[in-house]
């Protein structure tokens, strides 16, 4: 019984540590990807222009570009 309790505590501790690390990474990424960043706006505008050139409407291209940036940030976490 003590072994089971010890394993449960160990698993809970490791899971908590991983969740906290993910939060730290998320905050660090969000600091660089925000509406005040020139690089963010350059990437967003470039993606929108390519999507419009490919036949998307301006409104749809904007939504797609925001989604693409969001997906990129999520993959890097």
């Amino acid at each position: 019984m003590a072994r089971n309790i010890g394993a449960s505590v160990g698993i809970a501790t490791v899971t908590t540590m991983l969740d906290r690390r993910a939060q730290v990474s998320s905050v660090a990424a969000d600091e660089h990807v925000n509406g005040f960043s020139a690089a963010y706006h350059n990437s967003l505008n470039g993606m929108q222009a390519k999507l419009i050139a490919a036949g998307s409407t301006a409104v749809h291209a904007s939504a797609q570009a925001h989604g693409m940036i969001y997906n990129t940030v999520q993959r890097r976490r």
Side-chain angles (χ1 to χ4, degrees):
M1 187 169 104
R3 184 175 61 174
N4 286 340
I5 292 172
S8 296
V9 169
I11 291 169
T13 302
V14 170
T15 302
T16 301
M17 290 170 54
L18 288 172
D19 286 342
R20 298 291 167 112
R21 182 66 185 144
Q23 288 174 343
V24 168
S25 296
S26 174
V27 169
D30 292 343
E31 287 176 358
H32 297 288
V33 180
N34 60 47
F36 300 111
S37 170
Y40 171 78
H41 283 288
N42 290 338
S43 296
L44 186 65
N45 292 335
M47 286 181 194
Q48 286 174 342
K50 288 179 183 177
L51 289 165
I52 290 171
S56 186
T57 65
V59 173
H60 195 236
S62 176
Q64 286 177 311
H66 282 285
M68 291 167 70
I69 290 175
Y70 174 79
N71 287 336
T72 301
V73 171
Q74 291 298 315
R75 271 187 276 133
R76 293 184 184 230
R77 290 185 181 170

